[in-house]
Each structure stands twice: as structure tokens, then as C-alpha cells.
Amino acid sequence: MQHLESKHKLVTRWTHWVNFPMLMIMIWSGLLIYWSSDVYRIGFGDLTVFHFFPDSVYSALNMGHRLAEGMSLHFFFMWLFALNGFVYVAYTVISGEWRYLVPQRKSFTQAFQVVLYDLKLRKTLPPQGKFNAAQRITYTSIIVMGFGSLLTGLSIYRPTQVAWLTSLLGGYQAARFEHFWLTMGYLAFFVIHIAQVAKAGWNNFRSMVTGLELVETPLKAKQEVAGD
């Protein structure tokens, strides 16, 4: 026998679904800005192994020559992105939900066990709560990354007005480099997160839409129902 249980509160679901399109707009508009100076690559000396991003990507996505559009979108939605993040973090702290989210002492060991289980190299999962150890580490990291994006973004948006912050981050070029790699981190997170959601199935997805999760009724409760 199964029954529905509350898993995610309304504020958590609301900020999650607002954040998804907001972050996608931020990444898209950021790439429109990056087009004007796409200097980052992976390589050694004059040898380039991989370039972020080749001209074919800009052409396929029609991203070229849209710097002004990218800047206007990026600098407008960053305030909404920041506000949504502030609401989520404030709610998490005030409600006590942070206890289910922040990594614990054993989280890194258990997260490795979760990875082994997902790779079919381990037969059983470590103890699971509202979020498993890997999720605790990942979701907390995303919050820290969001804060880092705001700081690095502000430092390259207003390098003169917040010169102290730009200097603290290593200067304009260093802050821009950090901002770029945080964005790459979000893209990697999206791919992994969507794959994990698909793997977890409809029940997990429904809990983030409706707040309710279908769980097995404990044996004792089943016996009490049968007794009635």
C-alpha cells in the first residue's frame, strides 16, 4: 500500500521553478555578451585543444552581433535572479530546511557511495533522507555558486564603483574568468540534474510540482488499517 506525503513546501517549489528559466536567460544573455570577446580556451601555449565557443555555435544559435541585447537582458534579470535566490536562502534558514540541505560530516563518503550505486558498482544505497549526500553537496554548491556569480558579475559590471570587490577577486580579468567558469558549472549541473530527474522517475518530479511524494505505507500502519 502506498500513500502521498508532503515533501517540498510551496516556497521551495516556487523558487525552484522561477530559478530555472531565470538562470537559462542569464546563461543565454551571458553568452551573447561573451561573443564580443570569446578568449577562453583549453590548450598549451599556441596549441588550442578546445575553444569556448567556435563560430559555428554562434551561427547555429544566432548569437552573433547581439551584444547590446545581451547586456540589457543580463543586467535586468540579474536583479530578479538575486531576489529569487535571496527568498530561497532566507526561507531555508528561517524554516529550518537548511538541516536537510547542508552537507554533514559523512556526506562526502556517502556521496561517493551514491555515485558507485548509480554506476552499478555498489548494490545498496547509503542511508537516505529528504536529500541524499550527493544532493546535499550539489545543491549547497549551487547556492554558493549563485552567490559567487553575483559577486563576480557585479565586479565586472561595475569595476570602478566596486573596485574593492574587483580587487578582492583578483582584478577585472580574474573576476571575468571566475564568472565564466561558474557559468560552465551551471551548464554541467543542468545536464547531470536533468539526467538524474529522468532516472528518478515521475514520483520524484511530481514532488517538485505538487509538493507530494508517493511512499510506501509502514507495515504497522498497514496492520492498523487492516484491523479497522
Side-chain angles (χ1 to χ4, degrees):
M1 183 181 295
Q2 295 179 319
H3 67 283
L4 291 172
E5 280 189 1
S6 175
K7 183 175 183 180
H8 298 299
K9 300 298 183 182
L10 179 61
V11 175
T12 300
R13 288 180 280 129
W14 176 259
T15 52
H16 174 275
W17 290 112
V18 167
N19 195 61
F20 179 74
M22 199 76 64
L23 192 53
M24 292 302 294
I25 292 173
M26 292 297 290
I27 292 174
W28 171 259
S29 59
L31 290 176
L32 294 181
I33 298 172
Y34 179 69
W35 163 86
S36 65
S37 180
D38 57 345
V39 296
Y40 300 131
R41 66 188 180 94
I42 296 176
F44 305 93
D46 295 331
L47 175 64
T48 298
V49 178
F50 183 78
H51 182 77
F52 299 93
F53 293 83
D55 290 338
S56 57
V57 173
Y58 296 126
S59 298
L61 298 177
N62 189 30
M63 300 175 72
H65 305 281
R66 298 171 65 182
L67 175 60
E69 177 187 351
M71 292 179 67
S72 62
L73 287 173
H74 207 68
F75 299 146
F76 173 76
F77 281 99
M78 75 174 185
W79 300 112
L80 300 180
F81 174 72
L83 178 61
N84 188 62
F86 173 78
V87 170
Y88 174 73
V89 172
Y91 168 76
T92 302
V93 172
I94 295 171
S95 67
E97 288 284 314
W98 64 270
R99 295 184 181 89
Y100 305 109
L101 190 68
V102 174
Q104 300 173 318
R105 184 172 56 183
K106 297 181 180 180
S107 290
F108 290 93
T109 299
Q110 292 179 350
F112 182 66
Q113 295 170 352
V114 171
V115 172
L116 292 178
Y117 177 82
D118 288 342
L119 294 175
K120 309 299 183 182
L121 299 176
R122 178 184 168 92
K123 294 183 178 180
T124 59
L125 277 169
Q128 302 288 289
K130 185 172 184 177
F131 299 109
N132 64 43
Q135 289 173 322
R136 283 174 176 263
I137 294 171
T138 302
Y139 297 158
T140 299
S141 297
I142 287 296
I143 293 173
V144 174
M145 287 170 61
F147 185 65
S149 291
L150 289 174
L151 291 181
T152 55
L154 184 61
S155 69
I156 59 181
Y157 175 44
R158 298 293 186 184
T160 302
Q161 291 84 344
V162 291
W164 62 272
L165 178 59
T166 306
S167 178
L168 185 65
L169 293 171
Y172 181 88
Q173 293 301 331
R176 184 172 185 252
F177 181 79
E178 293 154 8
H179 196 72
F180 175 84
W181 280 106
L182 284 168
T183 302
M184 295 301 100
Y186 294 133
L187 291 174
F189 170 76
F190 272 136
V191 173
I192 297 172
H193 185 57
I194 292 173
Q196 289 292 337
V197 169
K199 179 176 178 293
W202 167 249
N203 192 38
N204 179 68
F205 181 79
R206 173 176 51 197
S207 68
M208 187 52 76
V209 176
T210 66
L212 300 174
E213 180 182 39
L214 194 64
V215 299
E216 287 291 335
T217 302
L219 180 60
K220 184 177 179 181
K222 292 180 181 178
Q223 294 172 342
E224 290 176 352
V225 170
D228 291 341

